[in-house]
Each structure stands twice: as structure tokens, then as C-alpha cells.
Amino acid sequence: MGTEINRRRLLGGAMGMAAGATFLGTGTPFLTATDAAAASRTATGPGAATGPGAAAGPGASGGAGASGGVPTSPLWREFRARPYTHPQIPYVGRAGFLGGRKHFPRLPVVADVRDYGARPDGSTDAAPAINRAIDAAGRRGGTVLVPPGTYRVDDVIRLGYDNVVLRGAGSGRTTLHATRSLTELIGPYGSRYGGNKSSWSWAGGLIWICPDARRRSLTDAIRAQAWPFEGWTGNQRDEWHTLTELAAPARRGDWTVTVEDSSALRRGDRVLFQLADDDTHSLLRHMAGDAEGAADYVWADKTKLTSYVPYEWPCRVVSVDRWRRRVTLDRPLPLDARPAWKPRFTTLVRPVTGSGVEGITLDVVETPQSQHLLDKGYNGVALQCAWDCWVDDVTVNNVDNGFLLVAAKACTLRRTRVTGRGSHHPYCCREGSHDNLVEDFVLAQRTVPAPAGTSLHGINVEGLSSYNVWSRGRLEMGTFDTHRGMPFANVRTEITVDNTGAHGGDASAGPLYGARFTHWNVTVSNQRAGCVKIDDIAPYSATVGISEVRQFGQIDVPDFTGPLHSRSESYGHPEAVHPRNLYEAQRAIG
């Protein structure tokens, strides 16, 4: 295996970082302690429980224990035995910022927005001053301070640099009052799939964490009405080149792969792992768990779904063994890598890394909610082509769309709230977003009745997004919106929901669910089953510890015929489930 990773390099914290040092620059081999364990690991076969801490953690020995007498879930015991290859439950123990790190870095304050002309009394447009302060901080990294007060912003707040944090005094003390929509600021944004839809219904933010070059290319294309792809490879799907192809098949759960040529790869590199589909759509069938019914499903006319392929999974290189041409990654493979799918590592657009927004309320001027799919873009915080970034203690009020993960990787949203007049997508996760964590979140009850012709979703996921987690949340309205586009291997755990929303999704986007969707410890306050009880809808899924529910309102039928191989446990008894939180329990595995 490659050279042993220096422990001091791994465990050195950002707390002691001198002003001007790089915390998470692109290409910097910033590796965590769990990465070190991965670097010493050889490739693992199906069923192997060889990850860090594989013999420890909640429920490892079965029976009662730390649960205070509550028996450990049988499904959890199964998962402990094969955490990276379980057929129904995905491994999400490394979701979130830097593999799920609990504490965000406290970067030194290098700019105060008041010194750049921002006034905290709401009397003048503070957006130019805030963006100038961010630009100044971007030259060396650090924190841009927004002291208590209300700041009027008539433009987008742009965080396009690595290692820059926009920090208010707390969501109850620092307010940005936004007065204009993205349609006003940038222009109308049509859909690349045609029709009269507004793509501001699912894209862009009035606080926009996105690499500057990427954001400029997007907005230039929008102004030219050349509606772009929004993901990891640029405005077109072919703006990448191959670094190396895999030289041997690999299996879901493997941490190490063999490549044709390792010379273009270095420890710490951020790359795309790509899988292309074949003429029989065997890759899409594999994403559905290779369920029997997936072979009979008509894939060819699902043009929106097929436009999402190749499947693109950003990953970081932990070590390179050049003699054996073996590359170890920071996470186990999300899918098999079969020769028919041309598995390879490729380039990607330069992401923004190590940046965040903290302690702010984004209060948008109150306007009536737009008709469905015609949003003007009074949107909250968007993280696009963002990797290892975070949002903490942020409230968005009166927004069209709240928090948007668009081609985002390993980002954490913590202590976030969506409030006000009601929104279309309070939380949106799409366009190949992977390994993100949304925790301690609240979707508050709307303050005004919903206008006719509008739609409310909830916590959304779509577009082949995978291995994302929603944990410890409260939905006072909305639902678990799986928006077609066959997302797979996502987890919702320890959530209370008044299940009043509806999922969306164009029929051309294909199935609602791929394999390994898990709902674990979910309390439903109004007994509505739709979008929460999924054991009769989603292939190779797990529905564990949800309230007793019944079908009414939006009722779905399975996309696939035949057996779904789904599992259900502790139905009607969320209180009986141990471990209580699937994500937190998985973190003990590594």
C-alpha cells in the first residue's frame, strides 16, 4: 500500500491555522483520521465487515445494551455484519462535511462588512459591500464578519472562494433582507428539457456558494438563454477528460480499485468516478438493486433520466500504490464497477471547498408564492459544485426554495430553518448530489394559506443523488419528496413529520426510488402513509420504526413489477427502534 499518512498531518486542526494558510484548497491532500484507516485497507469483497471500528459500535453484539433495555433491531445486527454491502441499508456513516465532522473550523476574522460600507440599519444596499469583503477574504481565506443588525441586500451574495466563512452574530441577531429575485437580478431561466417552466424553481440562491468561474459560466448561459447543465462537468456533459480507466471489475463496498495507469492521480486529488450505461440499461437496473422487475421496466423513453447518465460520483484519493496500480478512496464504492459501464476516473469543474455560512437569517421581501414551476427565484442558500462546505444556524424566511444542494458533495446543513409564507422546495437535493448531511432542521408551518395552483414538497431528493442523510428534523408541513430521477441509497432518520405535502417528478425522469432507500425512526403525526411508508414501493428498501399510517391523498404504485425485496420492522412503533438514529449509529463504524 502507499506511503503511510503522517498522523500529525491527519489530525492537525484548523483551529490553529495561521491567517493566510489554506484549510481545504482544491487538490490539497487534506485527509482525515478515517482516511488513514482507509489507506491501510486492501480491497474488500462483498459481505466483508472490514471498515474502521467494524467490530464495535451500537448493537454490535445484539440484544439489549445502551438502548436501556430496548432490543437491538435485527436489521441493524445484519447491517453491522456487512455494513458496506447490505442489500437494503446504505452505508452513510461518512456523510457530511469532512466525513461528518461535528465541529466546523473557526477561521480567523479577516474582514468586517462594515469596513467595506455595509450599514446594519437596512437603509442602503449592503450587497456590494458584503461581496467586496468576501472578495478580500478570498485572497487568503478566513471569516467575513456580519455584526448584529439588518442589512438590505439587492443582489446575490456570492461565496466562490475556498476557505471563506460568512458569519453573522446568530440567526436571531444578524439579518440579510433580500429585496429582489433571481429573475430580476440575472434573468428568466428556462428548462433545458423544454416547456415554460422556470428553473429558478430548483436552482440558484440569493446566497450562492459556488466557484466563481462556475457561477459566471452558469449566469452567462442563462442570460444567453442557452440553458445549461448544472452539474460537475460544466454547462455541457462532455467538459471532462479521462484520468484513467479501471483495469479490473470492482464491487459496491470496495475502498480500493485497480486502474490502468495511476500516473495522473495523487493523494488528496478530488476526481469524478464515472459509470456509463449500456444499450440494455443494465447500469440503471443495477441502481434499482437488480430487482427482477427492473429488467421489464421501459427505460428507453425515460429521456430525462437517461440525460443524468453517466453517473458521476465525486471522491477523494486517499492513497496511490503505483507499483500495483491500486487507488484507495475516502469512501467505499457506491455501485459495482463492471467493464460494460466503462468505469473511469475523470476531471471535474473546480469545486469550492472549506467554505460556510453561519449565524444569519435571510429574510426575503414577502411576495405571494408563485404558481407551480414558475418560481421567480426568491431562493435561500444554494450550494453548487460545493464540496466539504457547510451551513450552520441559518434561517430563510418567505423563500420560493429554501436550501438547495445542486451537484453538492459532502456538505453539512445544521440547525437550519425554513419559515414564512410557504415554499415550493424547502430542502432540495438534486443534479448528482452525494454524501450530504442535513441535520437538526425545521420546516415551519406556513404563515399564510397556500395560494391555488402552488405546490409544497418538503425534503426533496432526485437526479441520481445518493448517500445523502436527513437526520433529527421536524416537518410541520411537507413530505419526504422523492422526485423521480431514481435517487438511491439515501437515509431519513429520527424525523417527525405532519405529512401534508406531495412529491413531484416528470414521468420522463423514471422511477421514484432506486435501491437502498431507508426510513428509520419516523413519527407521522397525521397518519398519512404517502412518501414515508415505502416498503411496498421502493426496491431493496428498509422501512423501520415508522408510525402506524394509512393511504390517503397522493397514492403511488410501484415502478417495478414482481418482488421488491424490501424490509419492514417495528411498524407502528418508532419508540421501539434501537439504534434510534441510523446515521449516528453508522458513524461508529467509520
Side-chain angles (χ1 to χ4, degrees), residues 242-525:
T242 298
L243 298 170
T244 186
E245 298 179 357
L246 267 60
R251 300 294 300 273
R252 175 172 65 91
D254 289 353
W255 295 70
T256 299
V257 297
T258 303
V259 299
E260 293 282 359
D261 180 1
S262 65
S263 62
L265 299 176
R266 300 287 185 274
R267 186 180 73 174
D269 281 354
R270 298 173 187 267
V271 297
L272 275 187
F273 173 69
Q274 282 200 20
L275 295 173
D277 207 358
D278 59 18
D279 292 341
T280 69
H281 297 293
S282 61
L283 174 59
L284 293 175
R285 297 202 309 267
H286 180 55
M287 292 175 179
D290 294 306
E292 294 91 325
D296 299 326
Y297 184 81
V298 178
W299 300 96
D301 64 352
K302 307 303 186 293
T303 53
K304 191 171 185 178
L305 174 63
T306 54
S307 78
Y308 299 151
V309 179
Y311 172 73
E312 298 164 345
W313 181 65
C315 52
R316 198 168 68 244
V317 175
V318 170
S319 68
V320 180
D321 181 342
R322 303 208 181 279
W323 178 254
R324 293 189 291 173
R325 294 178 288 114
R326 291 167 70 79
V327 177
T328 299
L329 306 174
D330 62 326
R331 286 168 171 78
L333 283 184
L335 294 164
D336 290 353
R338 302 175 189 171
W341 303 332
K342 302 183 173 99
R344 65 187 64 205
F345 293 110
T346 76
T347 58
L348 71 166
V349 299
R350 186 186 188 279
V352 61
T353 63
S355 292
V357 181
E358 302 176 346
I360 284 171
T361 288
L362 178 65
D363 175 52
V364 177
V365 60
E366 186 168 356
T367 60
Q369 186 177 351
S370 296
Q371 298 291 286
H372 189 220
L373 302 176
L374 297 178
D375 293 345
K376 297 179 178 63
Y378 290 106
N379 295 347
V381 183
L383 296 90
Q384 185 162 7
C385 296
W387 190 335
D388 283 324
C389 294
W390 71 92
V391 177
D392 184 30
D393 182 26
V394 172
T395 296
V396 295
N397 187 56
N398 292 331
V399 290
D400 289 344
N401 301 278
F403 295 90
L404 299 92
L405 296 162
V406 184
K409 167 76 174 187
C411 295
T412 294
L413 310 184
R414 182 178 298 158
R415 298 190 299 164
T416 58
R417 292 174 55 89
V418 180
T419 62
R421 50 86 156 157
S423 52
H424 179 198
H425 293 103
Y427 290 86
C428 188
C429 179
R430 54 180 294 272
E431 202 77 12
S433 287
H434 310 288
D435 302 294
N436 299 291
L437 171 64
V438 182
E439 63 181 358
D440 302 314
F441 63 95
V442 175
L443 168 54
Q445 183 60 251
R446 64 191 313 140
T447 55
V448 297
T454 61
S455 187
L456 164 67
H457 299 305
I459 49 177
N460 155 277
V461 61
E462 59 182 280
L464 298 184
S465 296
S466 62
Y467 296 86
N468 301 288
V469 177
W470 293 261
S471 172
R472 294 196 307 266
R474 187 175 81 251
L475 279 70
E476 297 175 1
M477 61 179 186
T479 193
F480 289 4
D481 171 30
T482 304
H483 215 76
R484 298 201 177 272
M486 204 167 66
F488 65 94
N490 296 283
V491 168
R492 293 149 171 159
T493 183
E494 198 175 350
I495 296 172
T496 297
V497 53
D498 192 39
N499 192 8
T500 60
H503 75 72
D506 192 308
S508 68
L512 280 166
Y513 302 92
R516 295 180 303 285
F517 243 90
T518 300
H519 292 171
W520 187 288
N521 184 8
V522 179
T523 299
V524 183
S525 59

Side-chain angles (χ1 to χ4, degrees), residues 25-63:
T26 297
T28 300
F30 189 98
L31 306 175
T32 67
T34 310
D35 292 332
S40 65
R41 183 188 297 109
T42 59
T44 57
T50 57
S61 60

Side-chain angles (χ1 to χ4, degrees), residues 546-569:
I546 71 164
S547 302
E548 186 172 341
V549 291
R550 57 191 176 89
Q551 292 284 8
F552 64 91
Q554 187 180 53
I555 300 175
D556 290 307
V557 297
D559 290 294
F560 306 113
T561 58
L564 293 176
H565 306 284
S566 59
R567 302 282 295 276
S568 179
E569 187 180 285

Side-chain angles (χ1 to χ4, degrees), residues 70-114:
V70 178
T72 301
S73 155
L75 260 173
W76 172 250
R77 292 199 298 271
E78 282 184 20
F79 177 83
R80 289 290 303 139
R82 49 186 308 192
Y84 310 124
T85 58
H86 193 275
Q88 283 89 14
I89 299 174
Y91 171 68
V92 293
R94 304 209 70 198
F97 169 73
L98 282 183
R101 181 171 292 190
K102 287 297 184 185
H103 300 289
F104 304 123
R106 299 292 290 181
L107 303 185
V109 174
V110 296
D112 184 320
V113 299
R114 295 173 300 182

